[in-house]
Amino acid sequence: MPELPEVETICVGLEKWIVGARIATVSYDTEKSFPNAPQDTEQFLLGATIAAVRRRAKVLLVELSSGYTLMIHLKMTGQLVYIGAAAPSQTTQPRFGAGHPNDSLVGELPDKSTRVIFEFDDGGHLYFNDQRKFGWIKLYPSSALADNPLLSAFGPEPLDKDTTAQMLFDRLQRRKNTTIKAALLDQTVVAGIGNIYADESLWGACIHPSTRVRDLDTKHVQKLFSEIQQVLALSIEKGGSTDKNYVNVEGKRGSYIDFARVFRREGLACPRCGTLIQKLRVAGRGTHVCPLCQRAP
DNA sequence: CACTTGACCTGTCCGC
DNA sequence: TGCGGACAGGTCAAGT
């Protein structure tokens, strides 16, 4: 579920709501939700203030005043939802039920998917919900993040202004013999792309997902990189994609799916040429293509 | 090493 | 309506 635009949206939401807040209590359901929590985790969490929230690839980094950082991966079904103290203030009241009927996907929290709860001194709560239990929260000393193997292996951030198509091309050379779809999903090639934005970008660049990386020249990769940037930027603007259960920190859906050109549109007309969009399996994933615009290799 | 596949989980949807 | 099976947006550990 959450790919770069969704995690970015959550990151911005967390910055707004929890930076400066002081952690009063932390509770979690199982070891798996908080895998490397040491016995004395609480001493690095309780009483700590949220200093900053950042994103790298699909990982959230919540920096604490205690010198530790929470790394959070939402995997397929993770949610981070903040509910302020039930005070009359407009900035801290619970936000469920506002707006359109379909605006919010979450009800009363905690619910049965809630795995971790952070309670803040001001009465606010941050809920980590995760239906499929793939997601996790880990605690690391902030000083150890620079050489954290997970973080250092990530490829370039596609929306960083220093990232270039040439960098993508170079990184792709390590996956020359696989399909471009598999390569885009490889977080060490480029960070933050998942199934939705891989399909959308490849459609934009008129490249079939089964195309071997070795068959793409620099022109193809330039076009692809440009499409990746546009698709991700548009999705961030739309608050991300809610297909099943993604919600932002306020519990609200994103609307990128309404603007998708191929993803989840099998049997509908390609917006470019009108040919019916097909769903295939590439790199073991459901994959959407226009068979005319994206000619099979 | 490069690449593919299955496993991790729960919920939902589709066909019988 | 109930049940079984396929499938779901991400990543690993194993396998070839």
Side-chain angles (χ1 to χ4, degrees), chain A residues 145-165:
Chain A
L145 288 186
D147 42 51
N148 180 287
L150 173 62
L151 295 180
S152 56
F154 284 135
E157 285 290 330
L159 294 180
D160 270 9
K161 60 181 187 306
D162 299 337
T163 304
T164 62

Side-chain angles (χ1 to χ4, degrees), chain A residues 47-212:
Chain A
T49 299
I50 310 296
V53 185
R54 293 181 295 130
R55 176 191 65 76
R56 176 72 173 108
K58 300 171 191 168
V59 174
L60 283 162
L61 301 165
V62 180
E63 254 176 67
L64 306 178
S65 62
S66 61
Y68 277 70
T69 293
L70 290 164
M71 276 181 61
I72 306 176
H73 202 307
L74 301 171
K75 294 285 180 87
M76 305 274 254
T77 54
Q79 304 174 331
L80 284 169
V81 179
Y82 175 82
I83 302 184
S89 154
Q90 72 281 14
T91 55
T92 54
Q93 64 191 347
R95 278 172 299 287
F96 295 152
H100 303 296
N102 285 337
D103 214 15
S104 178
L105 269 181
V106 284
E108 198 77 7
L109 291 179
D111 64 22
K112 66 182 192 172
S113 75
T114 301
R115 325 225 69 87
V116 183
I117 304 172
F118 295 88
E119 182 184 14
F120 300 102
D121 274 358
D122 64 4
H125 290 78
L126 181 67
Y127 297 91
F128 170 51
N129 305 324
D130 184 22
Q131 196 173 83
R132 285 171 78 178
K133 301 184 183 178
F134 292 170
W136 43 254
I137 300 180
K138 298 179 188 181
L139 188 67
Y140 290 103
S142 303
S143 58
L145 288 186
D147 42 51
N148 180 287
L150 173 62
L151 295 180
S152 56
F154 284 135
E157 285 290 330
L159 294 180
D160 270 9
K161 60 181 187 306
D162 299 337
T163 304
T164 62
Q166 185 62 44
M167 289 164 70
L168 175 59
F169 185 85
D170 292 343
R171 287 265 176 171
L172 280 169
Q173 301 318 300
R174 64 173 73 185
R175 303 295 306 271
K176 276 182 98 74
N177 291 314
T178 191
T179 60
I180 184 62
K181 169 111 186 206
L184 288 180
L185 295 175
D186 180 345
Q187 301 298 297
T188 71
V189 170
V190 57
I193 298 175
N195 208 35
I196 298 175
Y197 304 110
D199 284 6
E200 291 289 295
S201 307
L202 288 166
W203 177 87
C206 299
I207 297 170
H208 194 282
S210 298
T211 309
R212 297 280 143 184

Side-chain angles (χ1 to χ4, degrees), chain A residues 256-275:
Chain A
Y256 176 82
I257 285 289
D258 298 339
F259 300 84
R261 283 81 52 90
V262 284
F263 188 79
R264 281 289 166 98
R265 287 177 46 81
E266 58 269 33
L268 301 176
C270 167
R272 194 162 40 208
C273 74
T275 306

